[in-house]
Amino acid sequence: MSVAPNDAQAAHAAGVERLLASYRAIPPSATVRLAKPTSNLFRKRAESTAKGLDTSGLTGVIAVDPDRRTADVAGMCTYENLVAATLPYGLSPLVVPQLKTITLGGAVTGLGIESASFRNGLPHESVLEMDILTGTGEVLTATPDQHADLFRTFPNSYGTLGYTVRLKIELEPVKPFVALCHLRFDSLDDLVATMDRIVATGGLDGDPVDYLDGVVFSADEGYLSVGVRTGTPGPVSDYTGQDIYYRSIQHSGEDSAEKHDRLTIHDYLWRWDTDWFWCSRAFGAQNPRIRRLWPRRFRRSSFYWKLIGYDQRFDIADRIEKRNGRPPRERVVQDIEVPIDRTAEFLRWFLDNVPIEPVWLCPLRLRDEGGWPLYPIQAHHTYVNVGFWSSVPVGPEDGYTNRLIERKVSELDGHKSLYSDAYYTPEEFDDLYGGETYKTVKKTYDPDSRLLDLYAKAVERR
């Protein structure tokens, strides 16, 4: 039986009407954009004073059906609100990206990943149907069988083919707790080999594994974190206070090759958000003295994002570097995917050439064999997402280090997400991100180019 208060459905319908009214109010010569209060994009874009689409009524959970294990969700609903609605039923989205303010629509049009991705793929693979506002001003329902070309090309299109108004997604059962085992490795090859075995078998030493990710601090200190759902009550850790999750993973190999921990399912899903993985250290939030004074409600990624926004607006970091006699820094904030058999090679290259640590690892396998043209990684193949988020001294050309990384990832038959800076030529971009397939669908659903082109948005930063 569907759990859907009538007022939630009515509110969503009213929100759709406001969205359409705001679309009609935008002059035909103006580019259509969203007017949204938050973002998890790291690429700069040209300033615009144009009024954007009103999405204020598209932020809620419309319905949860615990029997069918599905949810109808507005496109601008954050995963924080979505999880709050599903956990009381013992259910969770199949993949919950790490940061609370990522929206469901954003994860589908921009890609997302997490520690369930080795068995559940990427967030768009659990979408059953989508209502999409296209460049023509129509709201179309896209499914694998209806407007299938739009359904297939929508992932990784970043709003250039339209915006999700509603999504119906699959849910899966969860238990109240997650038991964690952090395995330490002093060899990248051994770490990757163990990861590969877990993905291939779905377990470790004969026991099933529900969640899997990792952290590499250096070439001789890396960890895999293996999570298993459990209903057994017992003490749990709390990493929303003074303790820091990623530091809890570390332990001396001389003492033990593994370390155990337990979290509630809620705290496990948001374990990375409190410190934005490890990026809160840039603001001093990991200094024990400062952390004690830092209000708990501001220990979350959305607040750190505001600080980043101030920095980008006023060039605070570059001014500090200049005052201290140092060159400005290049932002290197990226998530890339490489085949698992090339992962150790990439990590060695990265650690030798890019002064950023730690880095995050997350294996994934696509569930769907139909293909996703704008992010064409292969089904039945294991890839590893490598995430690194920091800055390095500027090089001899604009985006020097990012360009090096792009070339290396392509050399290893990998791909990278487009939420941050990209430097590809138009030809390289077409080869990697859909090319003629994208252009054909773009002409079909946005014939007057009311929405930005993907290359213009991702590379030219318009």
Side-chain angles (χ1 to χ4, degrees):
M1 178 178 177
S2 179
V3 180
N6 290 333
D7 56 353
Q9 294 174 322
H12 178 70
V16 173
E17 287 304 314
R18 290 202 298 276
L19 175 75
L20 292 172
S22 68
Y23 177 93
R24 292 190 290 267
I26 297 174
S29 59
T31 300
V32 176
R33 296 181 185 272
L34 289 182
K36 55 181 293 191
T38 63
S39 173
N40 286 284
L41 297 180
F42 275 84
R43 44 179 153 77
K44 291 184 179 180
R45 70 180 188 187
E47 293 292 333
S48 174
T49 58
K51 190 174 182 180
L53 295 174
D54 181 357
T55 61
S56 60
L58 303 175
T59 61
V61 177
I62 305 165
V64 176
D65 189 330
D67 295 329
R68 291 186 172 87
R69 294 178 183 171
T70 63
D72 278 277
V73 187
M76 298 297 295
C77 179
T78 65
Y79 273 92
E80 181 176 25
N81 291 335
L82 174 55
V83 165
T86 63
L87 282 187
Y89 299 103
L91 298 170
S92 167
L94 270 63
V95 178
V96 179
Q98 312 89 339
L99 306 181
K100 293 178 176 179
T101 55
I102 293 176
T103 63
L104 181 59
V108 170
T109 194
L111 302 185
I113 192 169
E114 233 294 313
S115 58
S117 289
F118 79 99
R119 56 184 178 83
N120 287 338
L122 300 176
H124 57 267
E125 295 189 277
S126 60
V127 175
L128 301 172
E129 62 183 37
M130 296 181 275
D131 292 344
I132 300 172
L133 173 66
T134 68
T136 63
E138 301 174 278
V139 175
L140 301 176
T141 299
T143 73
D145 301 313
Q146 180 179 358
H147 299 298
D149 52 350
L150 179 61
F151 185 85
R152 287 286 168 190
T153 53
F154 194 78
N156 211 42
S157 64
Y158 283 90
T160 65
L161 295 177
Y163 299 105
T164 50
V165 172
R166 178 193 63 90
L167 306 97
K168 180 184 286 290
I169 63 167
E170 298 176 73
L171 304 173
E172 68 174 6
V174 293
K175 293 182 179 179
F177 306 101
V178 176
L180 286 167
C181 178
H182 305 304
L183 305 173
R184 177 172 173 142
F185 298 86
D186 58 11
S187 160
L188 295 174
D189 291 308
D190 290 345
L191 184 153
V192 172
T194 301
M195 177 188 289
D196 198 15
R197 285 196 301 273
I198 294 172
V199 173
T201 64
L204 177 66
D205 298 330
D207 297 320
V209 170
D210 297 308
Y211 304 107
L212 177 65
D213 65 353
V215 179
V216 170
F217 290 86
S218 67
D220 55 8
E221 186 189 1
Y223 300 87
L224 290 180
S225 294
V226 177
V228 177
R229 301 173 185 142
T230 177
T232 305
V236 293
S237 298
D238 178 5
Y239 296 107
T240 63
Q242 290 300 109
D243 294 332
I244 298 169
Y245 175 71
Y246 83 100
R247 289 300 183 194
S248 76
I249 294 172
Q250 291 182 278
H251 58 276
S252 170
E254 296 178 358
D255 296 332
S256 175
E258 58 188 57
K259 180 180 180 181
H260 295 271
D261 199 358
R262 282 169 50 91
L263 294 170
T264 66
I265 180 62
H266 176 276
D267 285 356
Y268 177 79
L269 293 176
W270 303 127
R271 67 202 182 283
W272 294 117
D273 188 84
T274 300
D275 285 287
W276 210 3
F277 283 84
W278 32 81
C279 296
S280 69
R281 65 186 179 186
F283 311 112
Q286 295 180 28
N287 181 313
R289 294 179 181 178
I290 296 176
R291 196 175 183 88
R292 278 194 291 271
L293 301 175
W294 197 291
R296 187 181 289 248
R297 68 183 183 278
F298 292 148
R299 290 188 206 137
R300 51 183 287 141
S301 61
S302 56
F303 182 72
Y304 305 136
W305 230 120
K306 291 180 181 179
L307 299 181
I308 288 287
Y310 289 129
D311 174 56
Q312 292 179 348
R313 185 176 179 182
F314 300 109
D315 295 322
I316 297 170
D318 283 349
R319 290 182 181 183
I320 292 173
E321 294 299 304
K322 183 177 181 180
R323 183 179 300 171
N324 291 322
R326 296 189 293 264
R329 297 181 68 83
E330 175 188 352
R331 182 179 58 197
V332 181
V333 177
Q334 304 286 355
D335 278 78
I336 64 95
E337 269 90 33
V338 290
I340 195 165
D341 57 357
R342 312 300 294 273
T343 300
E345 179 182 354
F346 175 80
L347 289 171
R348 279 190 286 269
W349 175 87
F350 185 89
L351 294 170
D352 287 342
N353 291 277
V354 183
I356 292 176
E357 56 77 26
V359 299
W360 184 59
L361 306 179
C362 188
L364 72 123
R365 285 177 71 93
L366 296 182
R367 292 197 304 152
D368 193 297
E369 298 183 9
W372 308 98
L374 271 60
Y375 208 68
I377 61 177
Q378 299 180 56
H380 307 299
H381 285 67
T382 302
Y383 292 79
V384 178
N385 175 284
V386 185
F388 36 92
W389 316 292
S390 189
S391 63
V392 300
V394 295
E397 64 175 327
D398 180 45
Y400 175 75
T401 298
N402 282 284
R403 293 174 192 269
L404 284 179
I405 293 168
E406 286 181 354
R407 289 194 290 270
K408 190 64 177 179
V409 170
S410 293
E411 176 189 320
L412 299 179
D413 298 322
H415 271 69
K416 82 168 194 175
S417 299
L418 296 174
Y419 71 85
S420 191
D421 300 316
Y423 296 88
Y424 298 109
T425 66
E427 295 75 20
E428 291 170 333
F429 192 84
D430 280 354
D431 186 53
L432 292 169
Y433 299 104
E436 290 303 317
T437 299
Y438 170 76
K439 293 173 184 177
T440 299
V441 176
K442 177 74 169 172
K443 289 177 183 177
T444 301
Y445 295 97
D446 186 24
D448 298 322
S449 298
R450 297 297 309 277
L451 308 171
L452 280 174
D453 172 76
L454 184 57
Y455 184 80
K457 191 169 187 177
V459 181
E460 297 175 341
R461 302 167 183 73
R462 293 185 190 173

